[in-house]
Amino acid sequence: MSGVQGLKREGCIVMLAFLGGIVLTNLLGANQQIHGQLLNQTFLQQYAYQKVDGNQLFGHVVMVRMQMLVLIFLLGRAVDGKVFAVLAKSMLSAGFGFLLVVGIMEYGGYGCLIILAGLLPQWIFYTAALLFYANSKKRQSRIVGWNSWQDRTRQLAEAGLVTGCVLLGTFVESFDNPAVFAWVLKIFC
């Protein structure tokens, strides 16, 4: 299979995951519980006017994100690189589709803006880290004999870069996102 065909196949799988996230949300949202819990209007209105302590939030967010990063690193070691790349991209795509539909179910078109305000700017860093790691694992799966000292050093440097990117995302999520999210909520909620 050529590289172009592989990219087309991977793109189709990622788009199917996005659509799957949308369809699953619509099926689960039929009972009105899923989106009422994620975007509870009372909570969002209170959040818009609360002062968030970035230091406390940072500690909590670091713990949660580092746990997920460890799971992603373990999955990256346990699964073939090509499969891991498709899984990681599909997971991002399905999750984004899920969140967009939840936002639309609760707030209509403004729900997309509320979801984006909740995700940005930290998910720029998280997505970049995950895609870099996924593509790194995909590249490594094509190379036979990745056991030399230079290869291990490169893997360690890549893991350090991914971890640094996630830590930067946690910093932004803790100190910048609450103000951005509150500003958007004051406008749309």
Side-chain angles (χ1 to χ4, degrees), residues 57-147:
L57 184 59
F58 182 71
H60 173 73
V61 171
V62 165
M63 291 300 295
V64 171
R65 299 294 178 246
M66 288 300 122
Q67 290 171 358
M68 293 308 296
L69 187 60
V70 167
L71 287 175
I72 288 169
F73 282 153
L74 290 173
L75 185 63
R77 298 287 296 169
V79 178
D80 179 64
K82 292 177 188 175
V83 173
F84 175 77
V86 172
L87 282 174
K89 293 171 187 176
S90 296
M91 178 189 69
L92 278 174
S93 182
F96 189 64
F98 174 84
L99 289 173
L100 283 179
V101 171
V102 168
I104 291 169
M105 284 177 152
E106 188 68 26
Y107 293 99
Y110 295 125
C112 291
L113 296 175
I114 292 170
I115 291 296
L116 288 176
L119 295 176
L120 295 175
Q122 69 270 15
W123 274 93
I124 294 170
F125 298 102
Y126 298 151
T127 302
L130 186 58
L131 293 178
F132 174 78
Y133 185 66
N135 288 330
S136 168
K137 298 308 282 181
K138 185 177 176 181
R139 185 185 70 251
Q140 290 172 13
S141 72
R142 286 183 265 163
I143 300 172
V144 178
W146 264 72
N147 291 322

Side-chain angles (χ1 to χ4, degrees), residues 43-64:
F43 169 76
L44 293 181
Q45 287 172 345
Q46 290 173 351
Y47 184 89
Y49 295 98
Q50 282 184 337
K51 176 79 173 116
V52 176
D53 181 11
N55 293 322
Q56 283 185 336
L57 184 59
F58 182 71
H60 173 73
V61 171
V62 165
M63 291 300 295
V64 171

Side-chain angles (χ1 to χ4, degrees), residues 8 24 32 62 65 85-86 111 126 128 153 155 162 168 171:
K8 286 181 181 178
L24 180 64
Q32 300 292 317
V62 165
R65 299 294 178 246
V86 172
Y126 298 151
T153 304
Q155 288 175 354
V162 168
L168 189 55
F171 182 81

